[in-house]
């Protein structure tokens, strides 16, 4: 799609930094957002706007809903809404860090950073558990169909919605699980990525099998591993033409559909969860007409 933010459909970069911002009390962020629209090209920096920000601008973004919260036996899925999200992408970690700093300074009069997480590509797109992530992503035209909004209204077509969750892995616990249990928790064999027909219903790929939903629930996953001095996990990022497919998958993973909880929860847990609307681009700038800018 020619006017979607190019970073959404592009291959994963080697490095990334995710910035999350809150709106400062009483701030009128119009000037800062206009500056952001010029500075973020949608490729080296993908931008998402939260419902909290749209609300502050007295605009409603059709399809942008609150992130759900689930709590059950062994499951806690938090909802941590934010105003603004930036996914800085590149090949050089220093360059990304300096770009992030410049962005923070540019936005500082209206926004404060509430979290900054560095992420990286591991091997050919592996999670830190060693399993390949992204195999069943839709390809080519189907990826565009899943991820990008088709709409003729100015400022609407070419947009996308994104679900972002930071997951923290318990890698010791995972390492202590027998190989068979590890494979069964994902539903694929780590050594050759083969799907396991006989995996239990709790296996992650059985819970989320995109064709098994009505309607089918295809998403465009662009997750990356992250690690700091004490913790590590996956920054789960899924783009969609709407949030419905992700919503349906998460509901089933949490056991809220049929009582079967995704086996991922035995060794990892989400600590954040938010939805954003990713505006289209127009001439290498973010197109913010849908929110009146
Ligand atoms: C720590 C968190 C997660 C990890 C480590 C993880 C890992 C994986 C792996 C290894 C696969 C198999 C290969 C592939 O097709 O990509 C997979 C598939 C998939 N995951 Fe996740 N995932 C996580 C969270 C989620 C969440 C939160 C969702 C959505 C709510 C999700 C949705 C999917 C989907 C749709 C598939 C493909 C299913 C299919 O159609 O075969 N994942 N994931």
């Amino acid at each position: 799609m020619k006017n979607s933010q190019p970073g959404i459909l592009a291959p994963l970069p080697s490095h990334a930094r995710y910035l999350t911002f809150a709106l400062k009390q009483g701030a009128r962020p119009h000037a800062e957002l206009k500056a952001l629209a010029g500075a973020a090209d949608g490729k080296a920096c993908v931008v998402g706007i939260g419902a909290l920000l749209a609300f502050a601008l007295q605009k409603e973004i059709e399809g942008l809903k609150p992130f759900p919260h689930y709590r059950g036996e062994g499951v806690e899925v938090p909802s941590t809404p934010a105003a603004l999200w930036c996914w800085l992408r590149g090949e050089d970690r220093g360059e990304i860090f300096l770009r992030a700093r410049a962005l923070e300074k540019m936005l500082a009069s209206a926004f404060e950073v509430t979290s900054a997480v560095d992420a990286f590509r591991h091997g050919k797109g592996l999670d830190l558990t060693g399993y390949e992530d992204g195999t069943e992503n839709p390809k080519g035209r189907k990826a565009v169909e899943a991820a990008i909004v088709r709409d003729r209204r100015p400022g609407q077509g070419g947009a996308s919605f994104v679900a972002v969750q930071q997951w923290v892995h318990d890698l010791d616990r995972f390492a202590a699980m027998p190989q068979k249990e590890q494979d069964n928790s994902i539903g694929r064999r780590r050594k050759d990525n083969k799907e396991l027909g006989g995996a239990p219903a709790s296996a992650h790929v059985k819970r989320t099998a995109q064709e098994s939903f009505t309607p089918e629930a295809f998403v465009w996953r662009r997750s990356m591993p992250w690690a700091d001095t004490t913790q590590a996990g996956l920054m789960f990022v899924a783009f969609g033409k709407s949030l419905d497919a992700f919503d349906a998958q998460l509901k089933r993973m949490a056991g809220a559909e049929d009582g079967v909880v995704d086996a991922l929860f035995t060794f990892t847990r989400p600590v954040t969860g938010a939805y954003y609307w990713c505006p289209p681009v127009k001439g290498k700038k973010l197109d913010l007409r849908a929110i009146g800018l």
Side-chain angles (χ1 to χ4, degrees):
M1 192 75 155
K2 61 178 190 324
N3 60 337
S4 58
Q5 294 188 51
I8 295 175
L9 293 166
L12 284 178
S14 300
H15 293 279
R17 187 170 173 90
Y18 302 91
L19 296 178
T20 311
F21 296 89
L23 195 58
K24 287 186 174 167
Q25 188 79 31
R28 284 179 44 83
H30 299 72
E32 291 76 6
L33 287 172
K34 281 194 174 151
L36 177 67
D41 60 357
K43 186 171 184 202
C45 176
V46 173
V47 172
I49 287 167
L52 292 174
L53 178 52
F55 183 76
L57 295 166
Q58 295 181 316
K59 295 282 168 199
E60 198 183 325
I61 297 171
E62 227 175 271
L64 186 57
K65 45 189 169 184
F67 193 91
H69 171 214
Y70 294 105
R71 178 177 282 163
E73 191 66 30
V75 176
E76 173 79 50
V77 178
S79 172
T80 59
L84 186 67
W85 173 76
C86 294
W87 175 25
L88 289 116
R89 305 153 35 84
E91 298 305 306
D92 178 330
R93 196 170 159 192
E95 181 266 334
I96 293 176
F97 172 77
L98 293 172
R99 234 177 338 113
R101 241 176 81 83
L103 206 63
E104 288 168 27
K105 289 204 181 305
M106 194 183 82
L107 298 173
S109 42
F111 294 93
E112 61 196 341
V113 182
T114 49
S115 115
V117 178
D118 284 324
F120 46 88
R121 200 175 56 213
H122 172 38
K124 55 178 175 181
L126 304 178
D127 176 63
L128 291 172
T129 51
Y131 288 85
E132 189 175 314
D133 190 15
T135 313
E136 289 295 334
N137 257 336
K139 317 250 171 329
R141 191 177 48 79
K142 290 206 163 137
V144 178
E145 225 166 78
I148 309 296
V149 175
R150 287 173 71 123
D151 194 313
R152 287 184 182 279
R153 289 173 293 173
Q156 308 270 1
S160 184
F161 293 89
V162 67
V164 184
Q165 278 183 308
Q166 184 176 15
W167 288 73
V168 180
H169 292 355
D170 184 338
L171 289 170
D172 289 337
R173 183 158 190 185
F174 185 76
M177 285 160 61
Q179 182 64 53
K180 192 162 169 44
E181 194 186 335
Q182 292 182 349
D183 286 352
N184 273 341
S185 70
I186 299 291
R188 283 185 177 264
R189 207 158 56 191
R190 183 168 49 199
K191 73 169 193 256
D192 57 6
N193 197 28
K194 193 175 175 311
E195 194 166 347
L196 301 171
S202 59
H204 178 53
V205 301
K206 287 223 164 164
R207 294 277 83 200
T208 55
Q210 295 161 102
E211 277 122 349
S212 70
F213 293 85
T214 316
E216 290 185 339
F218 282 94
V219 291
W220 175 243
R221 286 171 294 131
R222 299 274 80 186
S223 311
M224 295 178 78
W226 66 273
D228 63 22
T229 43
T230 55
Q231 293 189 307
L234 187 74
M235 191 60 96
F236 177 86
V237 172
F239 293 93
K241 61 177 186 245
S242 86
L243 294 164
D244 297 348
F246 172 85
D247 245 12
Q249 289 169 8
L250 186 65
K251 184 175 181 189
R252 205 190 266 170
M253 283 178 68
E257 192 183 295
D258 55 7
V260 179
V261 171
D262 195 305
L264 282 184
F265 285 96
T266 54
F267 66 88
T268 185
R269 64 194 171 91
V271 294
T272 68
Y275 285 150
Y276 304 95
W277 173 76
C278 302
V281 287
K282 194 167 178 263
K284 295 208 168 152
K285 277 179 155 193
L286 300 179
D287 181 353
L288 298 179
R289 282 178 291 173
I291 51 168
L293 290 167

